[in-house]
Coordinates of all heavy atoms in Angstrom, one line a residue:
R489 N 17.5 11.4 -28.1 CA 16.4 12.2 -27.9 C 15.9 11.9 -26.5 O 16.2 10.7 -26.1 CB 15.2 12.0 -28.8 CG 15.7 12.3 -30.3 CD 14.4 12.2 -31.1 NE 13.5 11.0 -30.9 CZ 13.7 9.8 -31.5 NH1 14.7 9.7 -32.4 NH2 13.0 8.9 -31.3
P490 N 15.2 12.7 -25.8 CA 14.5 12.4 -24.5 C 13.2 11.5 -24.7 O 12.2 12.1 -24.5 CB 14.3 13.7 -23.8 CG 14.1 14.7 -25.0 CD 15.1 14.1 -26.1
D491 N 13.5 10.3 -25.2 CA 12.4 9.5 -25.5 C 12.4 8.3 -24.6 O 13.5 7.7 -24.4 CB 12.6 9.1 -27.0 CG 11.3 8.4 -27.6 OD1 10.9 7.4 -26.9 OD2 10.8 8.8 -28.6
P492 N 11.3 7.9 -24.1 CA 11.3 6.6 -23.3 C 11.9 5.4 -24.0 O 12.5 4.6 -23.2 CB 9.7 6.4 -23.0 CG 9.1 7.7 -23.2 CD 10.0 8.5 -24.3
K493 N 11.8 5.3 -25.3 CA 12.3 4.2 -26.0 C 13.9 4.2 -25.9 O 14.5 3.0 -26.1 CB 11.9 4.1 -27.4 CG 10.4 3.9 -27.6 CD 10.1 3.9 -29.1 CE 10.2 5.3 -29.6 NZ 9.7 5.4 -31.2
K494 N 14.5 5.3 -25.6 CA 15.9 5.4 -25.5 C 16.5 4.8 -24.3 O 17.8 4.7 -24.0 CB 16.4 6.8 -25.8 CG 16.0 7.3 -27.2 CD 16.6 6.4 -28.3 CE 16.3 7.0 -29.7 NZ 16.8 6.1 -30.7
N495 N 15.6 4.6 -23.2 CA 16.0 3.8 -22.0 C 17.1 4.5 -21.2 O 17.9 3.9 -20.5 CB 16.4 2.5 -22.5 CG 16.3 1.5 -21.3 OD1 15.4 1.5 -20.5 ND2 17.2 0.5 -21.2
V496 N 17.0 5.8 -21.2 CA 18.1 6.7 -20.5 C 17.9 6.4 -18.8 O 18.9 6.3 -18.1 CB 18.0 8.1 -20.8 CG1 19.1 8.9 -20.0 CG2 18.3 8.2 -22.3
T497 N 16.7 6.2 -18.5 CA 16.5 6.1 -17.0 C 17.1 4.8 -16.5 O 17.5 4.8 -15.3 CB 15.0 6.1 -16.7 OG1 14.3 5.1 -17.6 CG2 14.4 7.5 -17.0
T498 N 17.0 3.7 -17.3 CA 17.7 2.5 -16.9 C 19.2 2.7 -16.7 O 19.8 2.2 -15.7 CB 17.4 1.3 -17.8 OG1 16.0 1.1 -17.9 CG2 18.0 0.0 -17.3
L499 N 19.8 3.4 -17.6 CA 21.2 3.7 -17.5 C 21.5 4.4 -16.3 O 22.6 4.2 -15.6 CB 21.7 4.5 -18.8 CG 23.0 5.2 -18.8 CD1 24.1 4.1 -18.7 CD2 23.2 6.1 -20.1
L500 N 20.7 5.5 -16.0 CA 21.0 6.4 -14.8 C 20.8 5.5 -13.6 O 21.5 5.8 -12.6 CB 20.0 7.5 -14.8 CG 20.3 8.7 -14.0 CD1 21.7 9.3 -14.3 CD2 19.3 9.9 -14.3
K501 N 19.8 4.6 -13.5 CA 19.7 3.8 -12.3 C 20.9 2.9 -12.2 O 21.4 2.6 -11.0 CB 18.5 2.9 -12.4 CG 17.2 3.7 -12.3 CD 16.0 2.8 -12.5 CE 14.6 3.6 -12.5 NZ 13.5 2.8 -12.6
A502 N 21.5 2.3 -13.3 CA 22.6 1.5 -13.3 C 23.8 2.2 -12.7 O 24.6 1.7 -11.9 CB 23.0 0.9 -14.7
F503 N 24.0 3.5 -13.2 CA 25.1 4.3 -12.7 C 24.9 4.7 -11.3 O 25.9 4.6 -10.5 CB 25.2 5.5 -13.6 CG 26.4 6.5 -13.3 CD1 27.7 6.1 -13.7 CD2 26.2 7.5 -12.5 CE1 28.7 6.9 -13.4 CE2 27.1 8.4 -12.2 CZ 28.5 8.0 -12.7
G504 N 23.8 5.0 -10.9 CA 23.5 5.4 -9.5 C 23.6 4.3 -8.5 O 24.1 4.6 -7.3
E505 N 23.4 3.1 -8.8 CA 23.4 2.1 -7.8 C 24.7 1.3 -7.8 O 24.8 0.3 -7.1 CB 22.3 1.1 -8.1 CG 20.9 1.7 -7.9 CD 19.7 0.8 -8.2 OE1 20.0 -0.3 -8.5 OE2 18.6 1.3 -8.3
C506 N 25.6 1.6 -8.8 CA 26.9 0.9 -8.8 C 28.0 1.8 -8.2 O 28.5 2.7 -9.0 CB 27.2 0.5 -10.3 SG 28.8 -0.3 -10.4
Q507 N 28.5 1.7 -7.0 CA 29.4 2.5 -6.3 C 30.7 2.4 -7.1 O 31.4 3.5 -7.2 CB 29.5 2.1 -4.9 CG 28.2 2.4 -4.0 CD 27.9 3.9 -4.0 OE1 28.8 4.8 -4.0 NE2 26.6 4.1 -4.0
A508 N 31.1 1.2 -7.5 CA 32.4 1.2 -8.2 C 32.4 2.0 -9.5 O 33.4 2.7 -9.8 CB 32.6 -0.3 -8.5
L509 N 31.3 2.0 -10.1 CA 31.2 2.8 -11.4 C 31.3 4.3 -11.2 O 31.9 5.0 -11.9 CB 30.0 2.4 -12.2 CG 30.0 2.8 -13.7 CD1 31.1 2.3 -14.5 CD2 28.6 2.4 -14.3
R510 N 30.6 4.7 -10.1 CA 30.5 6.0 -9.7 C 31.9 6.6 -9.3 O 32.3 7.8 -9.5 CB 29.7 6.3 -8.6 CG 28.2 6.1 -9.1 CD 27.2 6.1 -7.9 NE 27.2 7.5 -7.2 CZ 26.3 7.8 -6.3 NH1 25.4 6.9 -5.9 NH2 26.4 8.9 -5.7
K511 N 32.8 5.7 -8.7 CA 34.1 6.1 -8.2 C 35.0 6.3 -9.5 O 35.9 7.1 -9.5 CB 34.7 5.1 -7.3 CG 34.0 5.1 -5.9 CD 34.6 4.0 -5.0 CE 33.9 4.0 -3.7 NZ 34.5 3.0 -2.9
L512 N 34.8 5.5 -10.5 CA 35.7 5.4 -11.6 C 35.5 6.3 -12.9 O 36.3 6.9 -13.6 CB 35.8 4.0 -12.2 CG 36.5 3.0 -11.4 CD1 36.3 1.6 -12.1 CD2 38.0 3.3 -11.4
A513 N 34.1 6.8 -12.9 CA 33.6 7.6 -14.1 C 32.7 8.6 -13.8 O 32.0 8.5 -12.7 CB 33.1 6.6 -15.2
N514 N 32.5 9.5 -14.7 CA 31.4 10.5 -14.8 C 30.4 10.1 -15.9 O 30.7 9.2 -16.7 CB 31.9 11.9 -15.0 CG 32.8 12.5 -13.9 OD1 32.4 12.3 -12.8 ND2 33.8 13.1 -14.3
L515 N 29.1 10.6 -15.8 CA 28.2 10.3 -16.8 C 27.6 11.7 -17.4 O 27.4 12.6 -16.8 CB 26.9 9.6 -16.2 CG 25.7 9.3 -17.1 CD1 26.2 8.3 -18.1 CD2 24.6 8.7 -16.1
T516 N 27.6 11.6 -18.7 CA 27.2 12.9 -19.6 C 26.0 12.3 -20.4 O 26.0 11.4 -21.2 CB 28.2 13.3 -20.5 OG1 29.4 13.8 -19.7 CG2 27.7 14.5 -21.3
L517 N 24.8 13.0 -20.2 CA 23.6 12.8 -20.8 C 23.3 13.9 -21.8 O 23.0 15.1 -21.4 CB 22.5 12.6 -19.9 CG 22.7 11.5 -18.8 CD1 21.4 11.4 -17.9 CD2 22.8 10.2 -19.5
I518 N 23.3 13.8 -23.1 CA 23.1 14.8 -24.0 C 21.7 14.4 -24.6 O 21.5 13.6 -25.4 CB 24.1 14.8 -25.2 CG1 25.5 15.0 -24.7 CG2 23.7 15.9 -26.2 CD1 25.7 16.2 -24.0
L519 N 20.7 15.1 -24.2 CA 19.3 14.7 -24.4 C 18.5 15.8 -25.1 O 17.6 16.5 -24.6 CB 18.6 14.4 -23.1 CG 19.2 13.2 -22.2 CD1 18.4 13.0 -20.9 CD2 19.2 11.9 -23.0
G520 N 19.0 16.1 -26.3 CA 18.4 17.3 -27.1 C 18.7 18.6 -26.6 O 19.5 18.8 -25.7
N521 N 17.7 19.5 -26.9 CA 17.8 20.9 -26.5 C 16.5 21.3 -25.8 O 15.4 20.8 -26.1 CB 18.1 21.8 -27.7 CG 19.4 21.7 -28.3 OD1 20.4 22.1 -27.8 ND2 19.4 20.9 -29.4
R522 N 16.6 22.0 -24.7 CA 15.5 22.5 -24.0 C 15.6 23.9 -23.3 O 16.7 24.3 -23.0 CB 15.2 21.5 -22.9 CG 16.3 21.5 -21.9 CD 16.0 20.4 -20.7 NE 16.9 20.4 -19.6 CZ 18.1 19.8 -19.6 NH1 18.5 19.1 -20.8 NH2 19.0 19.8 -18.7

Side-chain angles (χ1 to χ4, degrees):
R489 302 189 312 274
D491 190 305
K493 294 179 293 187
K494 298 303 180 180
N495 201 32
V496 178
T497 54
T498 301
L499 167 63
L500 199 51
K501 290 176 182 177
F503 183 79
E505 294 178 9
C506 182
Q507 292 298 324
L509 195 58
R510 291 174 60 173
K511 290 179 182 179
L512 287 175
N514 293 320
L515 177 63
T516 297
L517 303 176
I518 307 296
L519 303 175
N521 291 283
R522 64 185 184 278

